[in-house]
Amino acid sequence: MVSDFARSWLTRSAPVAAAQAAGRPVVALESTIIAHGMPYPENVCTAREVAALIRGMGAEPATIAVIAGRIRIGLSDEELELLGRSGQAAKVSRRDLPAALAGGGLGATTVAGTMICAALAGIEVFVTGGIGGVHRGAQETFDISADLQELAKTSVAVVCAGAKSILDIALTLEYLETHGVPVLSCGQDNFAAFYTRDSGFRADFRLDAAADQARFIRTKWDLGLAGGVLLSTPVPQAAAMPREEIDALTQQALAEAGAQGITGKAVTPFLLDRIKALTGGRSLATNIALVKHNAEVGARLALALAQAGRGAGAA
């Protein structure tokens, strides 16, 4: 149960507050993709286009960030610009949230951080690009994203294009299974792999229709089975990149990161930026396409969950 004191850290934008007061669905969006995942101005342009897409489908977008000691649920154009241009936004996951709020600085929420804030705000659906996961070589480094633990404990549905292909996807899926996180797939049987459509690994269940996805998610939560649900949907075919090419570039970028001593939170931004350079910008175009597609799927899911209502399976 979320306390009123925890919610006192939230500041909702006027559009988000109005949508929730009217019972309209809200879709959470992360801010790390703006501050660390894409270069300026593509990051801010994409954030605005994604928000407009969600709004056009009948839901209200809510980009989440930490600004001046507050968890902001929904950002203005000026605040998006601040995140996109400052270069000073800290990455905020579960462990970082207290420090970011207490320190009063600028923070961009990760998948885990956004899930926590969305749950505090009563938002059930969160759209991201790709989740974090078990990093390659984790048998030695123990480098496992906090996103996976958050999926196990926080009841938010996360729509993504699978896990980033720079990760060990097989171990990521094993970790999610161990912690009881259902992995759904929309549009194909297999789990997606960010830049590429097919990771080569099957999802737990394929549910293409938003109404079926909502029924599954609502049933899980009605049963008291806390924790998230992961919904994977592949990048559109026209924007997808060949798996063989991405695998080769990932290996090269990982070797460069190791040689430069890049570790921890700095690894993913380095790899994404390096792959962008090695592909001549094609990977950025793919990233933008998959985020927009995820937003469409997430908006449909939010609308279906709102229509399904809460507690429909209760006796």
Side-chain angles (χ1 to χ4, degrees), residues 23-36:
R24 291 195 295 114
V26 177
V27 175
L29 300 166
E30 63 160 291
S31 47
T32 292
I33 194 170
I34 302 170
H36 300 283

Side-chain angles (χ1 to χ4, degrees), residues 48-67:
R48 289 175 177 153
E49 290 169 359
V50 166
L53 188 157
I54 291 170
R55 196 172 286 118
M57 295 182 69
E60 182 61 37
T63 303
I64 294 175
V66 174
I67 301 176

